């Protein structure tokens, strides 16, 4: 075994191993623990051992067949003609835990924001608007949004109900110092229109933001970091793009 | 599995056929809604298709890898905050409609493995089993669990450790079961 003695580290060594292998650490704690494991052979060994135990819990659930429709639509999505396949899908567009660590090269400024938004929306519709959106019998929809370069666990969902939308964020970093998040509405092919929605997030990265205005004709809800007080045109690329599937 | 990173759609379909049921079962157990579980599984498999090259045979079976991707994806969805209130509402009758048949020896063996793991879980003291289930199947963080149960965070960590350690003793090397 190599690496430093676990007991001399500043952490309560090993205490977070169970939470880590069960996926029960908060984002910050998980990242801190990952770094710790890189340099602690004791915890590394324990993670390996307990991961196998935690993984076995998946076997305990009642076994079901995967619906045939699920297989059909999943396989359809790996064919480029059906939806954006892996070869065509921008590498930086990821939802959930696969989000990119680095924003693609996008020029800062209005056009940059528009280009990024447009590209994201075009691809995100293929991922989120169709594959992940859920809709109940009353037409209430929860549309996952693409979160760009805001950490692995940042998450955004657009909740749409009766023509009104709410943006629900979790584990979202606070806007940069001196900035605030601003919500924009983009209609097909048009410029993003500013809204009155300016917001920050709680210390836990949470926010519930009413999206002002009528959603008729809106193709995307965007969020950009802007100077305090907001902007009339985007000055930064979007950090959240929520395509509104029809 | 080795063919998936090279874009072999047939290999991908085989992976889905072999592990799609287990993936859907886990996602449904976590999400409680068929539509949401399907979305989780689809996104997880598409992630595998895109990132298949990351699979390392030395670090576990394909089944284990698939299920861990599904688990992580489901946690992301559950922690999005919009589903938590209502995800205990399970679709009526889905377990009857989609119950996996046992036509092969492999399927029978998997049922036996499931019984074995459930039995091991059942041997745990209630408070230990409870925190493991809230964390693994509920997608709750240990801080949230401490708050829900009104116990110190250290107590939750201790129960998790004891529970996993006891499971390890009862189950032996579960890597064999996940193969």
């Amino acid at each position: 075994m190599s690496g430093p003695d676990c007991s001399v580290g500043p952490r309560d060594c090993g205490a977070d191993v169970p939470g880590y292998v069960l996926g029960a650490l908060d984002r910050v704690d998980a990242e801190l623990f990952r770094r710790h494991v890189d340099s602690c052979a004791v915890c590394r060994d324990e993670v390996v051992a307990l991961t196998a135990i935690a993984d076995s819990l998946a076997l305990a659930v009642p076994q079901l067949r995967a619906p045939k429709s699920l297989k059909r639509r999943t396989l359809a999505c790996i064919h480029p003609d059906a939806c954006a396949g892996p070869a065509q899908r921008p590498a930086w567009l990821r939802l959930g835990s696969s989000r990119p660590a680095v924003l693609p090269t996008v020029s800062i400024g209005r056009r940059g924001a528009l280009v990024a938004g447009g590209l994201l929306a075009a691809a995100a519709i293929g991922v989120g608007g169709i594959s992940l959106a859920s809709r109940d019998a009353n037409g209430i929809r929860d549309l996952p949004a693409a979160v760009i370069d805001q950490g692995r666990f940042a998450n955004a969902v657009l909740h749409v109900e009766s023509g009104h939308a709410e943006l629900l964020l979790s584990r979202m970093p606070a806007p940069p110092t001196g900035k605030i998040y601003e919500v924009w509405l983009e209609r097909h092919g048009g410029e993003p229109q500013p809204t009155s929605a300016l917001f920050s997030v709680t210390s836990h990265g949470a926010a519930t933001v009413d999206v002002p205005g009528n959603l008729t004709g809106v193709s995307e809800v965007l969020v950009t970091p802007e100077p305090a007080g907001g902007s009339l045109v985007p000055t930064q690329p979007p950090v959240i793009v929520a395509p509104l599937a029809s | 599995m080795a063919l998936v990173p090279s874009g072999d759609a047939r290999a991908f379909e085989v992976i889905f056929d072999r592990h799609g049921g287990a993936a859907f079962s886990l996602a449904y157990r976590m999400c409680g809604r068929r539509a949401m579980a399907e979305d989780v599984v689809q996104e997880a498999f598409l992630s595998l298709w895109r990132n298949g090259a990351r699979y390392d045979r030395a670090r576990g079976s394909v089944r284990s890898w698939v299920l861990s991707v599904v688990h992580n994806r489901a946690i992301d969805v559950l922690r999005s905050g919009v589903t938590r209130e209502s995800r205990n509402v399970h679709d009526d009758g889905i377990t009857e409609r989609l119950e996996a048949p046992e036509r092969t020896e492999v399927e029978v063996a998997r049922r036996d493995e499931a019984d074995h793991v459930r039995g091991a879980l059942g041997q745990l003291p209630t408070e230990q089993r409870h925190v493991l289930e809230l964390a693994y199947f509920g997608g709750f963080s240990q801080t949230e669990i401490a708050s829900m149960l009104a116990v110190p965070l250290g107590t939750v960590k201790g129960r998790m450790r004891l529970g996993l350690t006891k499971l390890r003793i009862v189950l032996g090397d579960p890597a064999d079961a996940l193969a």
Side-chain angles (χ1 to χ4, degrees), chain A residues 14 23 46 60 65 86 97 131, chain B residues 25 39 49 76 79 98 118 161:
Chain A
E46 194 162 0
R65 279 184 290 113
S97 56
S131 66
Chain B
S25 303
D39 289 343
W49 171 253
D76 281 345
R79 291 186 184 174
L98 293 175
R118 275 197 293 270
R161 172 172 293 283

Side-chain angles (χ1 to χ4, degrees), chain B residues 66-107:
Chain B
V66 168
L67 292 175
S68 70
V69 173
V70 169
H71 186 247
N72 289 337
R73 181 64 201 149
I75 285 178
D76 281 345
V77 172
L78 293 173
R79 291 186 184 174
S80 68
V82 294
T83 58
R84 187 143 281 179
E85 303 79 9
S86 54
R87 64 190 162 93
N88 287 329
V89 180
H90 284 237
D91 294 336
D92 289 339
I94 187 172
T95 51
E96 288 77 19
R97 293 198 305 273
L98 293 175
E99 188 173 6
E102 293 173 357
R103 299 193 184 112
T104 68
E105 290 182 6
V106 170
E107 287 159 348

Side-chain angles (χ1 to χ4, degrees), chain A residues 134-178:
Chain A
S134 61
R135 180 199 297 257
D136 77 358
N138 299 316
I140 300 171
R141 292 178 292 164
D142 290 328
L143 306 171
V147 183
I148 307 153
D149 194 25
Q150 300 301 306
R152 185 176 174 222
F153 292 102
N155 206 310
V157 172
L158 191 67
H159 178 76
V160 182
E161 184 172 358
S162 303
H164 176 74
E166 265 185 343
L167 198 54
L168 302 124
L169 309 181
S170 60
R171 293 172 171 76
M172 183 81 181
T177 304

Side-chain angles (χ1 to χ4, degrees), chain A residues 48-106:
Chain A
V48 171
L50 291 187
T51 293
I53 301 297
D55 286 350
S56 71
L57 293 173
L59 300 177
V61 303
Q63 292 300 296
L64 305 171
R65 279 184 290 113
K68 290 178 180 174
S69 58
L70 172 59
K71 177 182 173 180
R72 275 197 301 272
R73 65 183 172 121
T74 301
L75 294 180
C77 271
I78 68 171
H79 295 293
D81 293 341
C83 63
Q88 288 71 36
R89 189 186 305 277
W92 39 269
L93 175 65
R94 297 286 187 270
L95 294 175
S97 56
S98 302
R99 284 185 202 108
V102 179
L103 192 66
T105 303
V106 176

